């Protein structure tokens, strides 16, 4: 039993499954806080576009109304209902279909991508995540980083590790901060280990140790560094 546990602690395959094998561990780890932050971003972005769309015409107002119940289902982890509606209220897919050109329709693409990830439909998730276009500014940059990270997670599930590494790198470039950057750097390292590129994996881990020493990921990163340096 002890040998088995030791093997699991060293096996990159085990680590990649635990760290990036599920849809989006960042959402799972931060739970409601991230979901609330997502809605806050929507409100902020909506405020930017609000005057133009809510005064100029009714389309965005109708889209926002449709989004409301879909968001409630999303927060409640009812991802199928959030996507498709519940018979009384429409879901994100209907918002995209009817009001895809509005800011709300654009955000619905991101929501839909997350829903499909949670439902294990990774091709569909990628299709919607790639259609999302982040607005300018800090809130938009944070959401863009998450979007790229989600694409990376979908690629991992599809065993497209090279593309996953590219998406995680884009996530860091979109918002290089002490919370998301080390999180995605660790994922990049694990993916490079999966690809057999230990040099790049080690570089990613050392960047966490050197540039993001105060992050959660830095707490045990020396184990990853030491393991690769001994190979």
């Amino acid at each position: 039993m002890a040998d088995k546990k030791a093997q699991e602690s060293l096996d990159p395959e085990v680590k990649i499954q635990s760290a990036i094998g599920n849809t989006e561990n960042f959402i799972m780890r931060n739970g409601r806080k991230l979901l609330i932050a997502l809605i806050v971003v929507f409100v902020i972005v909506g405020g930017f576009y609000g005057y133009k769309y809510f005064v100029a015409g009714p389309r965005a107002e109708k889209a926002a109304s449709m989004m409301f119940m879909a968001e409630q289902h999303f927060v409640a982890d009812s991802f199928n209902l959030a996507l498709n509606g519940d018979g009384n209220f429409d879901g994100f897919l209907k918002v995209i279909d009817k009001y895809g050109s509005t800011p709300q329709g654009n955000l619905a693409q991101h929501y839909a991508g997350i829903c499909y990830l949670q439902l294990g439909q990774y091709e569909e998730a990628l299709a919607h995540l790639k259609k999302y276009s982040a607005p300018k500014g800090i809130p938009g940059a944070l959401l863009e980083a998450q979007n790229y990270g989600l694409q990376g997670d979908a690629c991992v599930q599809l065993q497209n590790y090279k593309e996953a590494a590219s998406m995680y790198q884009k996530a860091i470039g979109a918002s290089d901060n002490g919370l998301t950057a080390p999180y995605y750097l660790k994922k990049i390292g694990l993916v490079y280990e999966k690809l057999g590129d230990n040099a790049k994996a080690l570089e990613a881990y050392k960047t966490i140790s050197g540039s993001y020493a105060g992050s959660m990921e830095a707490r045990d990163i020396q184990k990853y560094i030491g393991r690769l340096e001994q190979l």
Side-chain angles (χ1 to χ4, degrees):
M1 181 66 70
D3 290 341
K4 181 179 180 182
K5 290 184 177 179
Q7 178 63 29
E8 289 178 349
S9 68
L10 296 175
D11 190 348
E13 179 69 21
V14 174
K15 291 183 178 297
I16 202 171
Q17 289 300 324
S18 64
I20 53 180
N22 295 322
T23 53
E24 174 50 81
N25 290 334
F26 189 56
I27 288 178
M28 301 303 292
R29 188 174 71 187
N30 290 276
R32 302 297 178 190
K33 290 183 180 180
L34 188 62
L35 297 176
I36 293 170
L38 184 63
I39 294 172
V40 169
V41 169
F42 171 68
V43 172
I44 293 172
V45 173
F48 176 81
Y49 289 102
Y51 180 81
K52 176 180 177 181
Y53 285 94
F54 283 93
V55 175
R59 296 188 76 246
E61 184 175 1
K62 292 179 179 179
S65 178
M66 288 178 68
M67 286 277 283
F68 178 76
M69 283 307 301
E71 287 173 329
Q72 301 309 302
H73 288 309
F74 182 89
V75 172
D77 296 338
S78 299
F79 300 111
N80 186 58
L81 292 177
L83 274 174
N84 300 298
D86 59 8
N88 295 312
F89 298 94
D90 293 316
F92 294 127
L93 295 181
K94 182 65 71 173
V95 175
I96 293 168
D97 181 57
K98 296 188 69 173
Y99 303 106
S101 63
T102 67
Q104 291 81 4
N106 176 48
L107 185 61
Q109 296 280 13
H110 184 74
Y111 272 122
I114 297 175
C115 291
Y116 276 122
L117 273 171
Q118 296 289 345
L119 293 171
Q121 297 176 247
Y122 305 117
E123 294 283 6
E124 291 85 351
L126 278 174
H128 285 281
L129 290 168
K130 288 180 181 296
K131 291 178 182 178
Y132 172 73
S133 179
K136 301 296 183 182
I138 294 176
L142 291 171
L143 205 53
E144 183 176 35
Q146 187 194 77
N147 184 276
Y148 283 133
L150 289 163
Q151 290 186 51
D153 287 345
C155 289
V156 166
Q157 293 292 342
L158 295 168
Q159 299 183 18
N160 187 350
Y161 301 114
K162 185 176 181 180
E163 183 66 13
S166 175
M167 290 299 105
Y168 293 144
Q169 190 61 58
K170 287 183 177 182
I172 295 169
S175 184
D176 186 359
N177 61 77
L179 177 63
T180 61
Y183 177 71
Y184 291 121
L185 276 167
K186 190 172 184 179
K187 288 194 170 191
I188 289 172
L190 292 165
V191 168
Y192 277 130
E193 286 197 63
K194 185 67 176 176
L195 291 168
D197 194 336
N198 291 341
K200 287 187 177 180
L202 185 59
E203 180 183 357
Y205 297 149
K206 285 186 175 181
T207 301
I208 294 173
S209 177
S211 300
Y212 304 98
S215 66
M216 290 182 61
E217 288 70 24
R219 295 177 184 178
D220 65 346
I221 203 65
Q222 288 302 325
K223 292 189 298 185
Y224 294 78
I225 294 172
R227 174 169 52 78
L228 290 183
E229 287 182 335
Q230 292 174 7
L231 295 179

